[in-house]
């Protein structure tokens, strides 16, 4: 039999080891439980708040596209084109209603309900005005249609866009609040684990390992996201150009292929007016058309332009350019996506000598 002092020492060591083990198990259990809570909160942000933000943004974009269609219907002089545009106008209305119905089912807070009620009230007032504009345009009463568009339809459209912007901002605030609560919960859990680590040396090591793994995971995730963006940018089959107030800042390989250039540096040092014919298809100067589209994108968030491009070898091609305002690395920039449409445009130009004349109103309308 072991001496009493030794038995007492072993008992105390065992008791201390058991207490430390139980403490570590408690910390592990607390950590697992809290991580499950954090994952649930983050999943809610992704599956609910982000979806609501996307729906509100989609509704806003649909309104803007629908307003552009309405403007094109008013200025068009071709009855067949008017009929086609009117069908598209109705399709955008159905898309808007579908997104709204889905968004309504996801709203839960009084503030969201109030914003949706305001939006519905503006929509109710806007619908008859829009249909009056379209009806007048379809009856070839373009002057009255244009007057009604400018005095009533456009202000109501602006109110709708503003209401949807408020809804989007509210969803972003809710995202920030949810993420803030999640971060606070994470901080509380970490602090508690550090306090308990005072009573168990092994626990401190465990915390260090968990924090290190978490930081490594986040670093890997950020790197994966960066590589995804870079891959999408470089492998896009359309030409993609980034520009700021000083000029071009980047372009993808498809841009070099489109303009027949060898290096990105060569493209970035090429003035805008050298990338297109001096006089564009609508009769305007290349630099004037380009700057008007860029300024419109900065003001509205997006714009589009038909462009007669010139390659390095002097050959001319037709392109459609979509411009979008965005923030990149904390700075406002314009992303221009260019697509060569020469093979679709060429048959149209050869089939009708007046096609350029007919396209002018459409190009002018796109700046309206």
């Amino acid at each position: 039999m072991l001496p009493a002092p030794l038995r007492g020492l072993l008992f105390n060591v065992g008791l201390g080891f058991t207490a430390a083990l139980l403490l570590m198990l408690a910390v592990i259990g607390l950590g697992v439980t809290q991580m499950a809570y954090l994952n649930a909160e983050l999943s809610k942000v992704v599956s609910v708040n982000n979806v609501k933000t996307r729906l509100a943004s989609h509704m806003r974009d649909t309104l803007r596209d629908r307003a552009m269609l309405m403007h094109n219907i008013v200025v068009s002089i071709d009855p067949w084109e008017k009929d086609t545009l009117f069908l598209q106008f109705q399709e955008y209305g159905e898309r808007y209603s579908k997104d709204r119905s889905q968004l309504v089912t996801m709203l839960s807070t009084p503030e969201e309900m109030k914003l949706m009620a305001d939006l519905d009230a503006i929509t109710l007032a806007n619908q008859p005005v829009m249909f009056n504009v379209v009806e007048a345009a379809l009856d070839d009463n373009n002057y009255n249609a244009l007057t009604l568009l400018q005095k009533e339809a456009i202000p109501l459209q602006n109110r709708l866009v503003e209401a949807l912007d408020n809804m989007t901002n509210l969803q972003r605030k809710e995202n920030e609040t949810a993420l803030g609560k999640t971060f606070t919960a994470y901080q509380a859990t970490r602090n508690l684990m550090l306090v308990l680590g005072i009573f168990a040396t092994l626990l401190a090591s465990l915390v260090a390992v968990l924090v290190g793994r978490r930081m490594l995971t986040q670093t890997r995730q950020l790197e994966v996201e960066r590589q995804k963006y870079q891959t999408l940018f470089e492998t896009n089959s359309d030409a993609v150009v980034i520009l700021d107030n000083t000029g071009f800042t980047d372009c993808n390989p498809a841009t070099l292929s489109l303009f027949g250039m060898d290096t990105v540096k060569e493209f970035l040092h090429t003035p805008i007016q050298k990338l297109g014919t001096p006089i564009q298809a609508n009769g305007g100067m290349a630099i004037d058309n380009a700057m008007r589209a860029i300024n419109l994108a900065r003001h509205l968030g997006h714009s589009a332009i038909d462009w007669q491009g010139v390659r390095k070898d002097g050959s001319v091609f037709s392109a459609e350019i979509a411009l979008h305002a965005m923030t990149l690395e904390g700075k406002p920039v314009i992303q221009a996506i260019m697509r060569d449409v020469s093979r679709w445009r060429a048959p149209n130009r050869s089939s009708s000598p007046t096609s350029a004349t007919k396209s002018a109103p459409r190009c002018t309308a796109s700046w309206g």
Side-chain angles (χ1 to χ4, degrees), residues 176-194:
E176 293 173 358
T177 301
L179 292 174
K181 291 180 179 179
T182 303
F183 181 75
T184 301
Y186 167 76
Q187 290 285 74
T189 301
R190 189 186 66 173
N191 292 338
L192 180 58
M193 292 173 69
L194 291 175

Side-chain angles (χ1 to χ4, degrees), residues 289-311:
N289 284 359
M291 295 310 299
R292 187 161 56 244
I294 292 172
N295 291 332
L296 191 64
R298 286 173 178 156
H299 179 65
L300 296 181
H302 63 90
S303 66
I305 182 176
D306 291 334
W307 186 254
Q308 292 294 314
V310 177
R311 296 187 176 91

Side-chain angles (χ1 to χ4, degrees), residues 58-230:
H58 196 197
M59 291 169 64
R60 180 188 58 196
D61 293 340
T62 300
L63 279 177
R64 287 175 173 168
D65 292 339
R66 200 165 185 240
M68 185 65 69
L69 281 174
M70 182 172 58
H71 191 280
N72 290 342
I73 293 173
V74 171
V75 300
S76 176
I77 59 175
D78 185 345
W80 295 102
E81 182 183 24
K82 285 186 176 182
D83 289 340
T84 302
L85 292 173
F86 179 67
L87 291 177
Q88 295 178 3
F89 179 83
Q90 290 180 313
E91 290 176 1
Y92 276 107
E94 293 173 357
R95 183 188 304 176
Y96 177 89
S97 298
K98 182 179 178 180
D99 289 338
R100 179 205 168 277
S101 299
Q102 185 177 353
L103 179 60
V104 167
T105 61
M106 304 179 70
L107 302 180
S108 57
T109 66
E111 191 172 359
E112 289 177 333
M113 298 295 186
K114 182 179 183 302
L115 285 176
M116 180 55 68
D118 294 340
L119 182 63
D120 289 343
I122 301 173
T123 303
L124 186 62
N126 183 55
Q127 284 180 341
V129 175
M130 294 185 69
F131 280 104
N132 288 339
V133 171
V134 173
E135 184 176 358
L138 294 176
D139 291 339
D140 293 330
N141 192 355
N142 287 5
Y143 176 78
N144 288 340
L146 184 60
T147 301
L148 187 59
L149 175 68
Q150 293 175 339
K151 292 185 177 180
E152 297 187 33
I154 291 179
L156 285 171
Q157 285 289 311
N158 291 336
R159 289 179 60 194
L160 278 173
V161 171
E162 181 181 359
L164 285 169
D165 284 340
N166 292 337
M167 180 67 75
T168 303
N169 292 333
L170 176 61
Q171 299 309 321
R172 289 173 179 167
K173 290 180 181 178
E174 289 184 354
N175 283 353
E176 293 173 358
T177 301
L179 292 174
K181 291 180 179 179
T182 303
F183 181 75
T184 301
Y186 167 76
Q187 290 285 74
T189 301
R190 189 186 66 173
N191 292 338
L192 180 58
M193 292 173 69
L194 291 175
V195 171
L196 295 176
I198 297 176
F199 303 97
T201 304
L202 292 177
L203 179 60
S205 300
L206 178 61
V207 171
V209 170
L210 291 176
V211 172
R213 287 181 178 178
R214 184 174 181 85
M215 292 178 62
L216 180 60
T217 300
Q218 290 178 338
T219 302
R220 289 175 177 173
Q221 289 176 345
L222 290 174
E223 180 62 21
V224 168
E225 292 299 323
R226 188 193 67 80
Q227 290 179 355
K228 284 181 181 179
Y229 173 80
Q230 192 66 25

Side-chain angles (χ1 to χ4, degrees), residues 49-60:
N49 292 7
N50 285 353
V51 173
K52 290 192 288 187
T53 301
R54 177 180 59 81
L55 288 172
S57 299
H58 196 197
M59 291 169 64
R60 180 188 58 196

